[in-house]
Amino acid sequence: MGTHTDAHIVWDWNGTLFHDVDAVIGATNAAFAELGLAPITLERYRELYCVPVPRFYERLMGRLPSQAEWEVMDAVFHRHYTEHRVRCGLADGAEDLLTGWVAAGRSQSILSMYGHEELVPLVEDFGISSHFIRVDGRTGPSGGSKAEHMVRHLDALRGTVDPRRTVVIGDAADDALAALHVGAHAVLWTGGSHGRAGLEAVGVPVVDSLSEAVAEAERLVVSG
């Protein structure tokens, strides 16, 4: 589906293609309750969220959680997220955008910090696996940065994908930092885990819809 001369998109999953923000907030508040923390609103979450995730908890608690606290909160989060995610679907218009990008003769892949063993069947359940030349979820502990995962992801696509003609589309500052780490472009959208102010601080294009994100990707690596 792609050659080294084609434009390529690396899509984030959670909060980008998969509109799961309600599940994330519900699971986050369940994790907070385990430590007696007050629930958080979506607006407050977007204002404070960052990776590594323990730093996000530090912003809320005024201190880093202990290793034991982190393990409890992480386990509770994932348990509740799994329960909530069944009510979530793809972002509005996502499937048409995926189809259109492929129809134009370009390639795309997914790199997510969601666990690989959970991610792959979830993508398959939505019937969109054929749109991607690779789908990678997180392997190893949760809560860290995407940068080294991005290195491995693009290394696996070497000879097919050129980082200079690649755009990472995601909802978090960490997506852009991972893109810059490998010499790729990035476009961030405001429909997921970060508010606009936090995204704009990274210095890459910020948009309010996935259709705008794809149009910006075309500008950067197709017509730019």
Side-chain angles (χ1 to χ4, degrees):
M1 181 165 57
T3 70
H4 68 282
T5 60
D6 290 336
H8 182 80
I9 290 176
V10 178
W11 290 95
D12 175 54
W13 179 249
N14 303 93
T16 303
L17 287 177
F18 188 46
H19 186 63
D20 62 347
V21 66
D22 291 337
V24 168
I25 295 300
T28 298
N29 283 332
F32 287 175
E34 290 289 319
L35 294 183
L37 297 174
I40 189 172
T41 63
L42 173 59
E43 292 71 24
R44 185 67 170 159
Y45 181 93
R46 285 175 167 165
E47 178 186 347
L48 296 178
Y49 181 75
C50 64
V51 294
V53 177
R55 285 188 55 215
F56 169 52
Y57 292 142
E58 181 182 22
R59 291 179 174 185
L60 290 163
M61 300 168 63
R63 61 175 177 82
L64 277 171
S66 68
Q67 184 63 31
E69 288 172 330
W70 160 247
E71 290 174 359
V72 168
M73 296 172 81
D74 191 47
V76 171
F77 173 88
H78 284 96
R79 185 174 73 250
H80 283 270
Y81 176 82
T82 299
E83 296 171 0
H84 285 290
R85 79 172 191 203
V86 297
R87 295 187 291 274
C88 301
L90 295 177
D92 288 344
E95 190 163 3
D96 288 341
L97 292 170
L98 297 175
T99 301
W101 189 260
V102 173
R106 303 163 191 153
S107 62
Q108 54 198 340
S109 59
I110 292 175
L111 175 62
S112 173
M113 295 301 282
Y114 192 44
H116 184 76
E117 298 303 319
E118 293 81 19
L119 173 67
V120 172
L122 186 55
V123 174
E124 291 175 348
D125 286 346
F126 281 110
I128 58 174
S129 295
S130 63
H131 295 316
F132 306 105
I133 59 174
R134 189 173 182 89
V135 175
D136 283 333
R138 171 186 48 78
T139 57
S142 63
S145 171
K146 186 178 270 188
E148 292 307 315
H149 295 270
M150 186 69 71
V151 171
R152 291 192 291 271
H153 184 72
L154 290 187
D155 278 350
L157 295 173
R158 185 174 297 171
T160 300
V161 170
D162 182 349
R164 296 168 298 179
R165 293 182 57 79
T166 295
V167 180
V168 176
I169 297 178
D171 68 315
D174 191 52
D175 292 306
L177 296 177
L180 298 175
H181 185 68
V182 296
H185 302 273
V187 178
L188 300 177
W189 91 298
T190 59
S193 61
H194 280 37
R196 174 174 281 276
L199 298 178
E200 289 180 337
V202 185
V204 303
V206 177
V207 298
D208 295 318
S209 70
L210 291 185
S211 61
E212 291 177 89
V214 171
E216 187 66 17
E218 290 181 326
R219 185 189 69 80
L220 288 168
V221 295
V222 177
S223 58

